[in-house]
Structure formats: structure tokens, C-alpha cells
Amino acid sequence: MQDPITKDYMMVLKYCENGNLRNYYLNHKRLTYVSKINKLMLIARELQDIHNAGKVHKDFHSGNILYRNNYLDISDLGMCQPANNERHSVKNEGIYGMLPYVAPEVLRMY
């Protein structure tokens, strides 16, 4: 969708009343293991769809997994790139993302 005044592009998404996965789990502390495993399977399927399209998310964490009505959506695909894109390695482009979600082995490289 394009803003008619500024001509900037914007994305309109469905409202996720439960927020991201982290917030959902903080507010629903009595979930069963079966429920958690089912959610993990949904996440795996969504991530597999991204990988089957030949892409890598590059900023995957619980804050980018939105939860609504028993559905999970992976969001924030702004850093998503082709899986075989060799010129965009960690050493060439640096470290991006939220520090709490950056893997320790990535930080050790610097």
C-alpha cells in the first residue's frame, strides 16, 4: 500500500492481539508441553516455507514471531536474503539485530 500524500510504501498487517511469542508466553504461564510443542511445529513449518523459497531470515527471534488465534506468523523479513548469497556473510556486513538474540559464537568472531 502506498501513502497518497508522502508516496512512501507501507505494509498493513493483521492485528495480533497476543503480540509476539515471548509476550504470549509471559502472559500464559500454565501452558502444557503439548501446546508448546504444537507451537514449535507451527514455527518450524513457517520457517521451512521461508527456506523452501530459498531465503534466510537473518533476524529470527521470539520477538519476530507473532501469535494470533492459534496461528503463528514470522514477521520482520526486512533482512531476509537468498540462502546462497555469499557476498553477505557476517564478516562482510557486520552484526545486525537485537543483542539479546545474537548468538554468542557470532559475537566471539569480533
Side-chain angles (χ1 to χ4, degrees):
M1 175 178 234
Q2 189 175 22
D3 186 311
I5 297 168
T6 65
K7 303 297 183 202
D8 289 336
Y9 286 96
M10 56 187 143
M11 190 179 290
V12 179
L13 303 171
K14 292 179 183 174
Y15 177 71
C16 294
E17 64 275 355
N18 293 308
N20 63 41
L21 192 64
R22 182 180 183 276
N23 292 342
Y24 177 77
Y25 278 121
L26 288 175
N27 293 324
H28 298 85
K29 296 181 185 202
R30 296 185 186 258
L31 294 171
T32 66
Y33 284 108
V34 172
S35 172
K36 291 178 183 180
I37 289 171
N38 286 337
K39 285 175 184 44
L40 282 172
M41 287 176 25
L42 289 172
I43 292 168
R45 281 191 212 119
E46 292 265 335
L47 200 53
Q48 184 179 24
D49 288 343
I50 292 171
H51 291 179
N52 285 343
K55 306 289 184 192
V56 178
H57 190 283
K58 296 194 78 170
D59 192 21
F60 187 69
H61 54 78
S62 62
N64 286 337
I65 302 170
L66 304 179
Y67 185 70
R68 63 177 170 79
N69 299 331
N70 292 322
Y71 291 100
L72 293 166
D73 292 316
I74 296 175
S75 66
D76 195 10
L77 298 169
M79 293 175 52
C80 194
Q81 294 180 355
N84 61 358
N85 193 351
E86 294 178 14
R87 51 185 195 102
H88 291 290
S89 68
V90 172
K91 290 181 182 176
N92 289 338
E93 65 183 38
I95 299 173
Y96 295 96
M98 298 176 64
L99 192 56
Y101 300 107
V102 175
E105 61 270 17
V106 172
L107 294 175
R108 251 191 307 244
M109 295 172 71
Y110 285 88

